[in-house]
Amino acid sequence: MILSGDQDDVSDYDEADYYDEQGFTTAHSIRDMSVMLPPRFTHKTRAEVDAAKEIVEARLAAEDEEDWDIAMVTEYGEDIFAYMREMERELLPSPNYMDIQKDLQWSMRAVLVDWVIQVHGRFGLLPETLFLAINYIDRFLSVKVVSVGKLQLVGATALLLAAKFEEINCPAVDEIVWVVDQGYSKADIIKAERYMLTILEFALGWPGPMSFMRRISKADDYDSEIRTVAKYFLEVTLMDERFVACPPSFLAAGAQCLSRMILGKGSWTAEHVYYSGYTFTQLKPMMCVLFRCCEKGRKHHDAVFEKYTNRSFKRASLFVEEQIRFGFIPPFQLEFDPDASRDLYQEMHMVPHALSTAIPILG
């Protein structure tokens, strides 16, 4: 899908006029770029979602087991997630923001995200904190043009803000100064924090994909293997600019669906449609792009791949790599790769036949 916008030539801006005293400037223009966008809801897909809702609600017991847990506030569940679906779209970054950056490229964003993932892991922070930090980075860069020398400061500040929002015990400013190798002072971090809050207009409550994944996981009876592989797929999307404009609910649904497929645990059922709000047909284009990202995982998302080789993550990245090497191909892949053939895929993976079932996750 294509988003369009007017293009201004920013190459003639004077350096002194272009950047303000903090090294930032207001975004000026957006030009055309191909991005992955969420699907539209046609009459057909609406009917499918409504039918799934009718089927699932008819199956639900009169007293759901979660009704006994007052912390689950099940009576407000639909209203809460309806609100989250509104907020996820309101707080999305521009998918074309790199076009207004004078010095930056998407590859530089990938390097920054790679670094943020490593720092996030070193501090042992929650998954929600990571996704929130990347959202802050992308939203900030959608509004302000940043010099190369300030890019790491943006990443460090976003991670600090996200940690303050999500964590019980968040890193101290001195620790942030340490992870940037004294590249910025404590005063720089505090000043940048105030500035980022102003640019984001204190709108910090973006609902990340983990919240939506927990809801979808109910359809899988909270299967830990499906969820772990899906979390790996979700973090893969952080590294690729094509997913910048995707709402987190859409990413969570696609990651969960692809995880079920590669694990050989069945199709996208009415329960999955009900809890995710997306049909299988809507998810196919996004899963196709996500699968291609994983074909060369060590090169495409090195930090994420290395993270998920850990036993605590069930070595999910190694499992996905092995499945692809042994010939796993999503059944819809050729629909979105018209120039590819199954023989070409099999030759690339050096196996005679594509596997139809998944092998167990490595222990």
Side-chain angles (χ1 to χ4, degrees):
M1 298 183 182
I2 304 294
L3 287 182
S4 299
D6 296 330
Q7 177 182 355
D8 293 335
D9 185 4
V10 298
S11 60
D12 295 330
Y13 281 97
D14 183 78
E15 183 75 7
D17 295 334
Y18 200 72
Y19 294 104
D20 63 19
E21 62 180 3
Q22 298 198 48
F24 307 109
T25 188
T26 302
H28 294 286
S29 65
I30 295 176
R31 65 173 180 265
D32 291 346
M33 172 183 170
S34 296
V35 295
M36 193 71 225
L37 294 177
R40 293 182 178 181
F41 282 86
T42 63
H43 291 298
K44 182 178 180 180
T45 54
R46 288 287 184 191
E48 189 172 343
V49 171
D50 291 342
K53 180 178 180 180
E54 189 174 326
I55 292 171
V56 173
E57 289 183 346
R59 293 177 184 172
L60 291 176
E63 292 185 353
D64 192 298
E65 61 179 10
E66 290 184 350
D67 289 340
W68 295 97
D69 186 355
I70 60 173
M72 297 300 292
V73 291
T74 53
E75 64 270 32
Y76 302 115
E78 288 195 17
D79 291 336
I80 290 172
F81 278 93
Y83 173 73
M84 289 170 62
R85 293 288 284 266
E86 292 179 11
M87 292 302 297
E88 68 173 349
R89 293 176 182 270
E90 287 183 14
L91 300 180
L92 277 178
S94 166
N96 299 324
Y97 70 73
M98 200 58 71
D99 289 341
I100 56 87
Q101 297 294 335
K102 185 177 181 181
D103 295 338
L104 305 183
Q105 299 176 357
W106 285 115
S107 59
M108 296 179 185
R109 176 194 180 272
V111 172
L112 177 65
V113 173
D114 189 280
W115 177 80
V116 170
I117 290 172
Q118 294 182 57
V119 174
H120 170 271
R122 179 171 296 181
F123 284 130
L125 303 176
L126 296 171
E128 290 85 348
T129 303
L130 175 61
F131 291 102
L132 194 58
I134 303 305
N135 174 261
Y136 292 168
I137 292 171
D138 288 331
R139 284 168 56 201
F140 184 86
L141 294 178
S142 296
V143 180
K144 290 294 178 179
V145 179
V146 178
S147 60
V148 175
K150 296 287 187 177
L151 186 59
Q152 189 180 32
L153 178 60
V154 171
T157 304
L159 185 61
L160 177 62
L161 280 177
K164 287 184 176 182
F165 189 88
E166 290 286 357
E167 304 286 340
I168 296 176
N169 298 310
C170 67
V173 177
D174 288 334
E175 293 177 294
I176 299 297
V177 173
W178 176 74
V179 297
V180 297
D181 198 24
Q182 311 295 322
Y184 308 102
S185 67
K186 185 175 181 178
D188 291 334
I189 300 292
I190 294 173
K191 186 177 181 181
E193 183 181 22
R194 290 197 300 264
Y195 191 67
M196 182 171 286
L197 284 170
T198 302
I199 296 302
L200 298 181
E201 298 179 337
F202 288 83
L204 305 180
W206 177 73
M210 293 303 299
S211 297
F212 294 101
M213 179 170 286
R214 290 189 185 95
R215 179 170 173 82
I216 301 170
S217 293
K218 188 173 181 180
D220 294 311
D221 198 24
Y222 304 103
D223 186 298
S224 64
E225 288 188 347
I226 294 176
R227 188 165 169 176
T228 301
V229 175
K231 285 169 65 178
Y232 166 62
F233 288 145
L234 275 181
E235 293 196 25
V236 168
T237 66
L238 293 176
M239 298 295 301
D240 199 297
E241 66 272 14
R242 288 172 291 183
F243 296 104
V244 166
C246 288
S249 62
F250 185 53
L251 293 176
Q256 190 88 355
C257 186
L258 187 58
S259 176
R260 286 176 56 81
M261 292 179 63
I262 202 166
L263 284 164
K265 294 202 173 185
S267 60
W268 197 243
T269 66
E271 283 80 5
H272 293 93
V273 175
Y274 172 73
Y275 287 115
S276 71
Y278 296 99
T279 67
F280 181 72
T281 300
Q282 290 177 305
L283 297 175
K284 286 194 292 184
M286 189 271 281
M287 288 192 291
C288 175
V289 177
L290 180 54
F291 175 75
R292 295 303 296 269
C293 292
C294 295
E295 286 184 320
K296 296 181 179 179
R298 295 175 188 266
K299 183 177 181 180
H300 179 270
H301 47 269
D302 180 63
V304 176
F305 189 95
E306 182 63 27
K307 173 181 176 179
Y308 278 85
T309 60
N310 194 287
R311 189 180 183 89
S312 62
F313 292 109
K314 300 181 184 291
R315 299 192 173 113
S317 59
L318 295 176
F319 166 73
V320 172
E321 181 183 58
E322 186 165 339
Q323 285 296 90
I324 293 174
R325 188 172 68 249
F326 278 101
F328 170 80
I329 305 170
F332 52 80
Q333 192 74 16
L334 297 180
E335 295 179 30
F336 301 95
D337 283 314
D339 296 329
S341 68
R342 187 169 296 274
D343 291 338
L344 178 61
Y345 271 99
Q346 291 171 353
E347 180 181 349
M348 180 174 64
H349 299 306
M350 297 181 293
V351 293
H353 300 288
L355 297 181
S356 58
T357 58
I359 60 175
I361 288 184
L362 302 176

